[in-house]
Amino acid sequence: MYIIGAGPAGLAAAHALRSRGLRAVVLERADRVGASWRGHYERLHLHTTRRLSALPDLPMPRRFGRWVSRDNVVRYLEKYAEHHELEIVTGVEVSRVEPAPDGTGWLLRATGGRELTGAAVVVATGLNHTPRLPDWPGRDSFTGDLLHAAAYRAPAPYAGHDVLVVGVGNTGAEIAVDLVEGGAARVRLSVRTAPHIVRRSTAGWAAQYTGLWVRRLPVGLVDRLARVLARVSVPDLAARGLPRPDTGLYSRVREGAIPVQDVGIIDAVRTGRVEVVAAVTEFDGADVLLADGSRITPDTVVAATGYTGALERLVGHLDVLDDRGGPVTHGPRTPANAPGLYFTGFSLPLSGTIREVGLDAQKIARSIAGQKGLRVSRVVG
């Protein structure tokens, strides 16, 4: 069987299957494992604790610290693949998954004209597959520098610059702080919808612990608890352009919007080092027009506008995606019309993505191993 994607979800699934004696080949379009992590900005650290971010059967080293850095996540993924002797083929991009001609299993069309068949397929390409850059009117005529956050690495090139960061998710908020601390002359943060902001840790209690505790509670109850906690732990930033959201925190999570974890953005906004401005509506030469009618002239615009899973090309023809382009099933369940087709790593749980993909991997492996009549190769030796 095949696993598409050699990030945390794909590697965890490969190990879980191998542990059950099943052969699984991981296909990765990049030349190394953990490609998405390698491409993130340099200051990035996990927002989940080291202890609760390890994949099954290999703890993260204590020397990585509580909040593991981007580079150490990459090191860990490399070690994970080596330690568990996973079968990974790099430089192969799967472009389309189709039912096998004989009606059993799946046919994968990949680079170089490859046609691969497997009894089951696990799609683990993740949410950060393809950068999403809005088609703002006048975008192509902008005379300043415009880049997606995927291309941002460090603040040094923008020292002394006037920079506009568009988007106040975790990426946008952290890049804005990075730019301020790295010497940008002015940093503005364009916000369309005010986010929920939570402290990454309070008196040693990680936000992830709270996420684990509340994940099975009713949405309305969690929304109310989060509202009380926010008023106690997060200052009112309405005067600085970030009012408290009207909708509940967990309600937002269920819609795919996770809260922003504070790694400096609260203080940066409160002190005015990061200026909050309205949403971008269009570009006009050197100017950027905002929803409140104002016009600004930044040297650089960093679009922290998210990614797409880009699943439409891969499996869109199989009627297995919802109206937002995500898979209709996740983890050990497969679509009714596509048995043997699994998806993992396409959710953003409060309890931590890496932790959850590790749990999903074991459930997927158990599901595949338990399917009667499924023709799978077994590991020898």
Side-chain angles (χ1 to χ4, degrees):
M1 70 196 70
Y2 290 97
I3 297 169
I4 307 173
L11 298 181
H15 168 57
L17 288 162
R18 183 178 176 83
S19 296
R20 289 181 171 270
L22 304 176
R23 184 188 179 199
V25 179
V26 182
L27 304 174
E28 169 56 48
R29 64 174 178 165
D31 60 352
R32 293 173 290 179
V33 303
S36 291
W37 273 95
R38 295 176 192 276
H40 288 314
Y41 47 94
E42 293 176 4
R43 75 171 281 150
L44 178 64
H45 286 67
L46 286 177
H47 291 161
T48 53
T49 65
R50 169 183 52 81
R51 188 172 65 84
L52 293 180
S53 298
L55 296 174
D57 301 322
L58 186 67
M60 285 188 171
R62 292 187 65 180
R63 68 177 183 275
F64 284 1
R66 192 183 195 197
W67 311 107
V68 182
S69 70
R70 178 202 69 171
D71 290 347
N72 280 336
V73 170
V74 171
R75 292 186 182 98
Y76 174 74
L77 295 178
E78 291 174 337
K79 182 64 176 178
Y80 195 85
E82 176 188 355
H83 178 78
H84 292 303
E85 300 179 335
L86 304 182
E87 190 172 350
I88 302 169
V89 181
T90 59
V92 175
E93 182 173 10
V94 179
S95 58
R96 188 175 173 91
V97 177
E98 303 173 354
D102 64 1
T104 61
W106 297 93
L107 170 68
L108 285 68
R109 299 189 185 277
T111 49
R114 295 178 177 86
E115 293 187 352
L116 310 169
T117 56
V121 174
V122 180
V123 180
T125 49
L127 292 169
N128 292 342
H129 186 276
T130 303
R132 180 175 59 230
L133 187 64
D135 188 19
W136 289 297
R139 186 189 73 185
D140 295 339
S141 68
F142 182 54
T143 57
D145 294 324
L146 171 63
L147 66 149
H148 189 273
Y152 176 90
R153 294 293 177 272
Y158 312 101
H161 288 207
D162 181 331
V163 185
L164 172 68
V165 180
V166 183
V168 70
N170 279 293
T171 297
E174 193 158 355
I175 287 176
V177 173
D178 199 33
L179 287 162
V180 166
E181 295 178 353
R186 186 176 189 179
V187 178
R188 284 174 281 205
L189 183 60
S190 173
V191 176
R192 181 179 300 279
T193 304
H196 286 276
I197 304 176
V198 299
R199 301 284 188 181
R200 184 171 66 176
S201 179
T202 303
W205 179 267
Q208 183 184 15
Y209 300 160
T210 304
L212 283 166
W213 180 65
V214 305
R215 60 183 177 155
R216 301 194 189 283
L217 295 178
V219 173
L221 176 58
V222 178
D223 284 347
R224 290 193 293 274
L225 292 172
R227 190 173 299 115
V228 172
L229 181 61
R231 292 189 180 281
V232 172
S233 62
V234 178
D236 185 358
L237 300 173
R240 292 291 187 176
L242 277 183
R244 298 188 190 278
D246 296 329
T247 54
L249 183 150
Y250 204 16
S251 295
R252 286 268 192 95
V253 170
R254 296 291 288 270
E255 295 173 356
I258 61 173
V260 172
Q261 293 207 18
D262 175 44
V263 288
I265 190 62
I266 290 176
D267 187 61
V269 171
R270 183 179 58 81
T271 58
R273 292 180 298 154
V274 170
E275 306 168 46
V276 178
V277 297
V280 171
T281 57
E282 62 181 289
F283 289 77
D284 181 17
D287 294 344
V288 178
L289 281 64
L290 306 178
D292 61 2
S294 59
R295 180 184 291 258
I296 60 177
T297 310
D299 302 312
T300 302
V301 175
V302 180
T305 47
Y307 297 78
T308 66
L311 291 173
E312 289 83 0
R313 183 171 64 100
L314 187 68
V315 296
H317 54 287
L318 299 174
D319 192 27
V320 295
L321 302 180
D322 59 25
D323 56 6
R324 292 191 293 181
V328 295
T329 61
H330 200 267
R333 295 185 300 115
T334 64
N337 61 328
L341 182 62
Y342 297 84
F343 296 88
T344 180
F346 292 92
S347 64
L348 293 170
L350 289 175
S351 49
T353 299
I354 296 181
R355 176 185 183 276
E356 294 301 326
V357 298
L359 296 174
D360 272 350
Q362 296 174 67
K363 295 174 185 176
I364 290 170
R366 188 160 53 245
S367 172
I368 292 174
Q371 290 188 35
K372 296 180 180 180
L374 191 66
R375 297 183 301 174
V376 297
S377 300
R378 295 191 173 271
V379 176
V380 178

